[in-house]
Amino acid sequence: QVQLVESGGGLVHPGGSLRVSCETSGFAFNRTTMYWYRQRLGKERELLAGITVSGVILDVADSVNGRFTISRDSAKSTAYLQINNVIPEDTAVYLCKARDYSGIRAKEYWGQGTQVTVSS
């Protein structure tokens, strides 16, 4: 059974930092590109960054470049998003997506998301 479980969200003060995690199971993590998105209230889902199996960083959004860092740990089948110097506009549900290339066709899986709220 495919599972992507995000964690690490919560309330953070402006200027603070946190790391959200995406723990995966049920598919070949070492054949999968991982992505982080966020969904702000009333806004379209926004791609933040991706990371390939070999660690190449993809598609970093201009809005978070220099503040957000994506990473992965193959031993733990987990992807991370380090969020630094948060601003109120970072308040959103943060979701991870896996694009699995192990089959004939790529498959995509989504987690349920973790809420990050930036407030003083």
Side-chain angles (χ1 to χ4, degrees):
Q1 181 181 0
V2 172
Q3 286 191 314
L4 288 81
V5 180
E6 297 93 336
S7 62
L11 177 64
V12 58
H13 296 308
S17 298
L18 77 166
R19 187 177 75 165
V20 292
S21 303
C22 174
E23 185 173 355
T24 74
S25 61
F27 59 91
F29 187 78
N30 62 354
R31 298 286 299 275
T32 302
T33 297
M34 297 298 299
Y35 298 89
W36 280 101
Y37 288 74
R38 69 182 177 188
Q39 181 90 56
R40 290 182 281 188
L41 195 62
K43 303 287 187 180
E44 292 187 358
R45 190 168 291 184
E46 178 187 12
L47 172 62
L48 300 175
I51 184 167
T52 68
V53 170
S54 58
V56 175
I57 307 299
L58 309 169
D59 303 323
V60 179
D62 290 340
S63 59
V64 304
N65 196 11
R67 296 192 300 119
F68 289 20
T69 303
I70 189 172
S71 62
R72 63 190 292 157
D73 184 337
S74 293
K76 296 181 179 180
S77 297
T78 300
Y80 303 97
L81 185 69
Q82 177 69 39
I83 305 173
N84 295 329
N85 193 22
V86 298
I87 58 177
E89 291 75 19
D90 293 329
T91 295
V93 175
Y94 285 74
L95 307 104
C96 62
K97 182 182 81 173
R99 183 175 290 167
D100 179 1
Y101 292 97
S102 62
I104 296 173
R105 295 182 180 179
K107 296 179 181 178
E108 293 190 346
Y109 310 112
W110 287 89
Q112 294 298 308
T114 185
Q115 175 72 45
V116 172
T117 301
V118 180
S119 176
S120 56

